[in-house]
Amino acid sequence: MCGIVGYIGDRKAYPILIKGLHRLEYRGYDSAGVALLNGNLNVYKCKGKVADLEAFVKDKNLDGNIGIAHTRWATHGEPSDINAHPHYSQSGDIVLIHNGIIENYASIKEELKKRKHKFKSETDTEVLCHLIENIKDNEGVSLAEAVRIALNQVVGAYAIAVLSKDSPDELIVAKKGSPLVIGVGSEKEFFIASDATPIVEYTKNVIYLEDEEIAELKRDGNIKIKTIKNKVKTPYIEELEMQLETLEKGGFPHFMLKEIYEQPRSIMDSLRGRLNPVKGVVKLGGIADYEQAIIKAKRIIIIGCGTSWHAGLVGEYLFEDLARIPVEVEYASEFRYRNPVIHEDDIVIAISQSGETADTLAAIELAKSKGATIIGICNVVGSSIPRATHAGSYTHAGPEIGVASTKAFTAQITVLTLMALQIAYEKGTLSRSKFHELASELYAIPEKVQAVLERNKEIEAIAKVFKKAHNFLYLGRGYTFPVALEGALKLKEISYIHAEGYPAAEMKHGPIALIDEEMPVVVIATQGASYEKVVSNIQEVKARKGKIIAVVTEGDTVVKSLADYVIEVPEVDEHLAPLVAVIPLQLLSYHIAVMRGCNVDQPRNLAKSVTVE
Ligand code: AGP
């Protein structure tokens, strides 16, 4: 969490920085700030969003061709003007922005206090800035060297950018555990950011800094990279594939709605080049070298957080059902701390939209250290998780800006389905005819998703009825149980309504006690093996006067006669049901949140990329 951006070159830095902060605001939005070097080192920062910072700096001196800026998601110290970044050093001659956590900041702070350092904020970041200045002054070294020495003393995660009044022609950046991309412009200029979105409109040439690397970016276009152990590295420039249009709202009122509507395209992009329905071929090139290892695996462990964990549950059903491989799905945050049993022949599938989730990364490192093979399913190209895994497949959903994950979820399920189909077919646990049938059904999913999107008005009307509800229950069974969890998560994170997802049959083991005429119950009752059982569950809710909103397969008459509201989705094979059944739930949450006046793209307390544990 937190977004950092910086510029050094001949252009005015401020417009680049502020635009960059808007692009990164999804990473945190409780305070923001900017530092500009123009003889003086001016820092402007305030509590609130990037727009508040823009209003705050209106009458300020915004000159300077070198600057850094930050949008914060608070970890140490509440959101406030003082805790906002950039932070000054003791003398005020050095400023620093930071994404991550310095775990041993308290002991460093105590040491510095003994040397008469005075701190204004409660942050770990300010301590690091003071430490750098203390080293620079006491050891008489350059800014870059002081940064290097300081980073050898800190424990934790960081992506930092540092400016000094005494070094007006350089910008120092470093990273460990938090992402940092350097854009190399054609005009002797450098852009830095937490991800490539603030950079792409200026240059497509980027360097992804590795952990424990420091880069010295000079105004004359020179760049030096070394590790914190002082090993010189050769910069490796890669070309970005990102398109600028994908970062704009494109006429939609919110990114979330745009991303929901993009799903026919994003699912197709995840299939393209990997699935040939006519020949009945599925090939995920990224896992080719590990295909045999997966086929022979005695166990697959799927790890992820939040929505990615929900996609993992769908993956469990798919792999067990089609490829007959036992699967365990784990919250990465639990897995990493509970001393799990991991064998060398285990396959670990790590799922992450951002590719930066700290718990998922740590769980990967743990499994790797025990010899397991790690396969990644990620959306953000070049992010940390794909670089930490042995192999993997990108989801190709395109940038997801809304904090609530939508198109990334369906893209993750698409890739998991492809993987399960490929492995099942090669392993011989799936007949040629069933394989063919599923492959062509999968290829038809984008148009079926499109058909669900066309029901948006009906869903909006249902949202109007329930917008004031205090609680919601979501029920599903089999392949749609993870969809119930995902529907509940979507609603709570953007509308702040309490919602729970349950396997429908579990209801009578507790949650049924909650049901009365005030309780809306969303039931996913599409055709499948458990359809009749779900109908019985609906009867149980009905008998207790609960209000039923049912997602049903087109042409259903049984549930229609029982439910208060129905949303029809096209018929699909049960294995693919999550891909269509989740769409109405995304739209329902979206409309309820908008009607309640919530900020759907940037819900309170959340950040898109959770880079702290
Ligand atoms: C989804 O709507 C959430 N915002 C959140 O649960 C998210 O899925 C989770 O933080 C995992 O993120 P990742 O996929 O980037 O690893």
Side-chain angles (χ1 to χ4, degrees), residues 527-548:
Q527 288 300 328
S530 317
Y531 174 75
E532 261 94 40
K533 308 273 174 206
V534 176
V535 172
S536 306
N537 298 137
I538 292 176
Q539 300 272 21
E540 290 156 8
V541 175
K542 192 96 190 119
R544 284 150 188 93
K545 299 194 167 54
K547 294 277 171 295
I548 293 158

Side-chain angles (χ1 to χ4, degrees), residues 420-439:
L421 280 175
Q422 177 175 339
I423 299 302
Y425 185 65
E426 296 299 333
K427 196 177 168 191
T429 48
L430 190 62
S431 69
R432 178 90 198 140
S433 61
K434 186 67 190 170
F435 175 81
H436 243 290
E437 189 187 314
L438 283 174

Side-chain angles (χ1 to χ4, degrees), residues 468-487:
K468 293 206 172 126
H470 296 292
N471 297 287
F472 261 79
L473 207 56
Y474 284 74
L475 304 176
R477 246 181 133 154
Y479 280 90
T480 62
F481 158 54
V483 177
L485 294 179
E486 177 60 8

Side-chain angles (χ1 to χ4, degrees), residues 6 29 91 133 152 173 203 249 358 410 445 458 530 543 557 559 567 584 596 604 607:
Y29 32 81
S91 71
E133 180 166 74
N152 275 288
V173 297
T203 178
K249 284 190 199 145
T410 46
I445 287 291
E458 292 166 37
S530 317
T557 50
V559 175
I567 305 164
R596 289 166 74 97
R604 71 183 179 205

Side-chain angles (χ1 to χ4, degrees), residues 488-550:
L489 177 65
K490 284 295 82 91
L491 188 71
K492 61 188 139 191
E493 70 180 330
I494 60 168
S495 72
Y496 319 139
I497 295 175
H498 171 242
E500 297 285 347
Y502 267 94
E506 271 294 302
M507 201 181 45
K508 43 182 136 7
H509 299 286
I512 200 163
L514 295 168
I515 292 172
D516 60 15
E517 58 278 12
E518 299 289 307
M519 175 66 96
V521 183
V522 178
V523 188
I524 304 128
T526 45
Q527 288 300 328
S530 317
Y531 174 75
E532 261 94 40
K533 308 273 174 206
V534 176
V535 172
S536 306
N537 298 137
I538 292 176
Q539 300 272 21
E540 290 156 8
V541 175
K542 192 96 190 119
R544 284 150 188 93
K545 299 194 167 54
K547 294 277 171 295
I548 293 158
I549 304 157

